[in-house]
Amino acid sequence: MGKRVIPPSGDGDDDGTGPGGEVLPVNLREALEERYLAYALSTIMSRSLPDVRDGLKPVHRRLVYAMHQLRLDPAAGFKKCARVVGDVIGKYHPHGDVAVYDALVRLAQDFAARYPLVEGQGNFGNIDGDNPAAMRYTEARLTDVAVLILEGLDEDAVDFRPNYDGSEEEPAVLPGAFPNLLANGSSGIAVGMATSIPPHNAHEVCQAALKLIDAPETTVEELVEIVPGPDFPTGGIIVETKSSILESYRTGRGGFRVRARWAVEDLGRGTWHVVVTEIPYQVAKSRLIEKLADLINDKKVPLLEDVRDESTQDVRIVLVPKSRNVDPALMMESLFKLTELESRISLNMNVLSKGTVPGVLVLKDVIVQWLDHQKDVLVRRSQHRLEQIERRLEILGGLLVAYLNLDEVIHIIRTEDEPKPVLMERFSITDVQAQAILDMRLKNLRKLEEFEIRKEFDELSKEAEQIRALLGSDAKQWKVVSMAIRRVAAKYGPETPLGRRRSTFADAPEHDQAEIMEAMIEREPITVVVSDKGWVRTLKGHGNDLARLEFKQGDKLRIAFKAETTDKLLVFSTGGRIFTLEASKLPGGRGHGEPIRLQCDMDQDQDVLDVFVHVPGRRLLLISKQGKGFVVAESEVVAQTRKGKQVLNVATGDEARLCVEVPEGATQDRKSTRLNSSHIPLSRMPSSA
């Protein structure tokens, strides 16, 4: 039995002309909808989304198949990539050579593909983001992983279909004995949908598949215990919470935060520097270092003094701190916020089921559909083998008849003009058997040959019975599939260089956000200037001559105080609301500054009453025009949004009048009243304010 071929479908493309070439009227809206839908379906099914069964897009499948046709197996020699790309374009994939070569290069890059399908020879690019050499200079051949994906292709394991011009045949899907979709991941953008699947550890995926074979009712929660998360070729540390990872695999959508792996290297005498040995997936090292250098030049990372790239074969980025007293963890936290040392890898398991139906699958469904494909491949390969055995047994049966009646067979051949029909009638054999007898050579008439044929006949008969038993038992089929998966799991086990897990898991360290933000700001002395009309600006240093300041016409100096760029400023309005400003974000001293209203959401009927530096642990006395007031802890009035916090509620006709640090007592001359601060009511701000 030969390859099963999917017949080509009619194009059905209506170009708006009749049979004789005359122009026909076409509804423009219907024509656009029909053509755009055809384009969208073509993009989804033939370009951007991978097949859940073999984890490949059409261009990757055609590349691997073309290399298989060129016999570029791991034991064979390399061939020029230009030859491979030419075959792919000419026979299967009529697109640009640059796009095809880029796809080939990605399959060979060990920092892009977790389990490369192509072994490259020459310059295939690097983790810095450098481009590969031209395809006329590079060479390639398949890897053992690709051989597993192709295993059984010549045994009628999958359907074949005509290529784009009908001159060749190509596989609709590959057998895929390797769990390629999850192991290598995939990404692509189609029309109205996209896919993004990060790489995983093949051994863990195989173990999850074996678990589903033994217990089909296994839940996603149980599978996540086996497949805890992605395993990136560039390593890194996944700092996503377990609950978030579980939700991503349960829904098929989500993401993973990945951080660079770093360690403190002691240089002696109290000095040290940080060495980064792994960077997040799909981050170009050169671009990362360039960004770090820009941040240092712009003084946006005051804790970092220098960055050096000491990488050779392995990544080694050296980060030099400003001083030995810098907290390494705090410095790295600030860099994680500002650079791609921390990256978010999205998960969107949008794939083609059975090669035709796009949809988002959860982790369990992806593995189940791959297992179902493996079972289908096993059944088809078994049926193919059984048909081969039956054909061979038919021939062997005819040869055994000849050995049992050797003299008569020779007599018929020597005396009859047409011996085949005579042999068929005399010994009741088929046309195939009679032809086999006629094609037999004289040297095969020896006695030893008869024994070998009888032995082969018995062995094939036994194998045929085993295959029939296999095809008739669902349990035996799953047992064989399990054995094949166990072999893959062993080949890429955790003790092997390619199979060991590279990405690890950790919880992100807990740091006060204020400390992190402070670490990202250069600490410098400034003078904050507020005008009578509420305009604010900052002057560098503390020794400024305020008398020489210029203001807008009709405006003048109202408040001026010393601060630092890392300080928080509190703005108290006449409406009793307190706003929080970052000193580092205020406009500089050139010009007249900006209105404070642009820095926060202050109502038009309110005015700025006071501005001061926030001092944690201090208590404030707030008093309204009508004499109402209370004491509040300053740490409770710090606002996190532009809307501020309503601290002092004022009635109609009343307004806030005073905000001062709580004194030990309060006195007035003549008619004096002495109050102890403990007598003033203490207000506690609600946490949701």
Side-chain angles (χ1 to χ4, degrees), residues 206-220:
C206 288
Q207 294 300 322
L210 293 172
K211 176 71 173 178
L212 281 171
I213 292 175
D214 295 336
E217 69 283 355
T218 301
T219 62
V220 175

Side-chain angles (χ1 to χ4, degrees), residues 632-650:
V632 63
E634 188 171 328
S635 59
E636 295 185 7
V637 303
V638 177
Q640 304 298 328
T641 65
R642 288 173 55 92
K643 294 182 179 180
K645 278 189 176 182
Q646 185 66 43
V647 182
L648 178 64
N649 293 322
V650 291

Side-chain angles (χ1 to χ4, degrees), residues 171-449:
V173 67
L174 296 182
F178 182 80
N180 188 60
L181 179 65
L182 288 174
N184 272 324
S186 184
S187 63
I189 300 175
V191 176
M193 60 180 63
T195 184
S196 177
I197 304 173
H200 292 74
N201 188 275
H203 180 268
E204 295 172 355
V205 176
C206 288
Q207 294 300 322
L210 293 172
K211 176 71 173 178
L212 281 171
I213 292 175
D214 295 336
E217 69 283 355
T218 301
T219 62
V220 175
E221 289 80 1
E222 294 171 314
L223 291 177
V224 172
E225 294 296 323
I226 304 173
V227 185
D231 186 20
F232 300 105
T234 54
I237 303 173
I238 300 172
V239 294
E240 200 68 35
T241 62
K242 290 185 176 179
S243 59
S244 175
I245 293 175
L246 176 60
E247 185 64 21
S248 297
Y249 285 130
R250 185 190 290 121
T251 61
R253 299 180 187 272
F256 308 91
R257 277 198 305 154
V258 185
R259 287 185 169 184
R261 191 180 302 278
W262 61 278
V264 176
E265 200 170 84
D266 189 5
L267 302 178
R269 298 185 179 182
T271 60
W272 55 271
H273 59 213
V274 168
V275 177
V276 176
T277 55
E278 295 176 2
I279 60 177
Y281 183 52
Q282 293 181 330
V283 172
K285 179 162 63 68
S286 60
R287 188 176 70 239
L288 173 64
I289 293 174
E290 184 180 345
K291 175 65 175 178
L292 286 168
D294 290 342
L295 290 174
I296 294 173
N297 292 334
D298 296 341
K299 296 183 178 181
K300 292 184 178 179
V301 280
L303 301 184
L304 185 64
E305 181 177 314
D306 191 19
V307 56
R308 299 194 303 267
D309 184 9
E310 299 180 357
S311 305
T312 53
Q313 295 294 326
D314 300 321
V315 173
R316 179 179 169 85
I317 302 173
V318 178
L319 305 175
V320 182
K322 203 80 169 179
S323 72
R324 67 179 68 181
N325 299 323
V326 170
D327 182 356
L330 196 60
M331 181 183 78
M332 293 305 296
E333 284 297 318
S334 64
L335 294 179
F336 287 144
K337 285 187 172 294
L338 293 172
T339 70
E340 290 183 302
L341 285 172
E342 177 179 302
S343 179
R344 183 169 180 81
I345 310 297
S346 62
L347 173 73
N348 182 15
M349 292 198 284
N350 194 1
V351 295
L352 293 176
S353 298
K354 298 188 181 299
T356 56
V357 183
V360 178
L361 302 182
V362 302
L363 177 64
K364 180 177 179 179
D365 291 342
V366 169
I367 300 176
V368 166
Q369 292 200 26
W370 175 67
L371 286 174
D372 290 341
H373 178 57
Q374 294 310 297
K375 185 182 175 185
D376 292 341
V377 167
L378 172 64
V379 170
R380 293 185 59 156
R381 291 180 67 184
S382 300
Q383 289 173 339
H384 178 75
R385 176 59 180 162
L386 182 60
E387 291 167 0
Q388 286 182 322
I389 291 175
E390 288 174 345
R391 286 197 297 269
R392 181 61 178 165
L393 286 175
E394 181 182 3
I395 293 173
L396 293 177
L399 295 179
L400 288 176
V401 169
Y403 282 115
L404 292 174
N405 305 276
L406 189 56
D407 293 338
E408 189 174 357
V409 168
I410 294 174
H411 177 73
I412 293 173
I413 294 174
R414 285 177 57 83
T415 58
E416 296 293 338
D417 294 335
E418 295 291 337
K420 182 189 285 188
V422 178
L423 289 172
M424 293 173 60
E425 182 179 356
R426 171 66 184 82
F427 301 111
S428 300
I429 58 178
T430 64
D431 183 273
V432 174
Q433 291 173 324
Q435 188 63 46
I437 293 172
L438 294 174
D439 293 339
M440 188 168 51
R441 297 180 179 181
L442 287 175
K443 70 176 183 178
N444 293 337
L445 297 178
R446 58 195 177 97
K447 192 68 175 177
L448 182 60
E449 191 72 22

Side-chain angles (χ1 to χ4, degrees), residues 60-73 77-81 83-85 87-88 92 104 107 117-120 139-143 146 150:
H60 300 132
R61 187 178 302 116
R62 288 161 177 165
L63 274 165
V64 173
Y65 179 63
M67 295 179 71
H68 172 67
Q69 293 294 91
L70 290 171
R71 302 187 183 280
L72 293 177
D73 298 325
F78 290 89
K79 272 190 172 64
K80 288 289 186 181
C81 291
R83 169 70 187 278
V84 176
V85 172
D87 272 22
V88 172
Y92 312 113
L104 173 62
L107 292 180
L117 304 186
V118 174
E119 180 184 355
E139 298 177 336
R141 66 183 178 189
L142 296 174
T143 63
L150 290 162

